Amino acid sequence: MTNKSRRDFFKKTASFFPAFIGMGVILNSCDSGIENSKSNESKNEKKSGTSCDDLSGLSDDDLATRKKLNYVEVSTVQSKTCKLCALFIPSKEGSECGTCSLIKGPIKPSGSCVYWAKIESGSNV
Ligand code: SF4
């Protein structure tokens, strides 16, 4: 490589360098945006208590009550699921999980417990 062609090579490379840095900054900010979005979704779920698996806000007594009443996430009797129970409160935020008038914490529509109560016409849903 001659001195002139070497100089030309460095000039061309140098002109691309700021573009590479710019692309790096843009890509990095996109990744940060995605991470922030995921983080905010998670925070919102925790705030509203809509995550089906998040029992972190429950006391030991609340957890004991869930266990004592034999709450299960999937009922063995399809006609006696939480979503068909008079005490089930569907989510207003569009989450899969609802809540229950009797048991604290997230309740899956597919779940059930020993206090399952038939919906009388005109109540609940
Ligand atoms: Fe589900 Fe039991 Fe609550 Fe009814 S009382 S919604 S069956 S947890």
Side-chain angles (χ1 to χ4, degrees):
M1 202 180 252
T2 65
N3 277 347
K4 183 178 180 330
S5 64
R6 210 176 279 150
R7 213 175 298 131
D8 286 346
F9 172 77
F10 284 120
K11 274 184 186 173
K12 285 178 186 168
T13 306
S15 67
F16 282 114
F17 192 66
F20 284 128
I21 291 175
M23 282 175 56
V25 169
I26 289 169
L27 290 174
N28 193 26
S29 67
C30 286
D31 280 350
S32 297
I34 291 168
E35 287 302 317
N36 286 341
S37 169
K38 284 179 186 172
S39 173
N40 285 341
E41 282 174 19
S42 176
K43 281 178 191 168
N44 288 341
E45 275 193 350
K46 281 183 181 170
K47 235 188 254 175
S48 61
T50 54
S51 170
C52 284
D53 301 320
D54 185 9
L55 303 176
S56 61
L58 300 180
S59 69
D60 289 344
D61 285 348
D62 297 335
L63 294 170
T65 301
R66 287 170 79 94
K67 199 170 185 174
K68 193 168 82 184
L69 299 182
N70 280 343
Y71 170 74
V72 291
E73 292 185 343
V74 179
S75 174
T76 54
V77 182
Q78 287 306 303
S79 60
K80 289 190 173 184
T81 59
C82 291
K83 91 176 166 196
L84 301 174
C85 175
L87 301 174
F88 183 68
I89 304 165
S91 165
K92 290 179 183 151
E93 292 93 31
S95 166
E96 176 200 354
C97 280
T99 54
C100 172
S101 305
L102 188 65
I103 297 176
K104 288 185 182 173
I107 300 292
K108 288 196 174 185
S110 60
S112 191
C113 83
V114 296
Y115 269 90
W116 182 88
K118 183 180 177 186
I119 298 172
E120 299 298 329
S121 61
S123 71
N124 199 4
V125 188

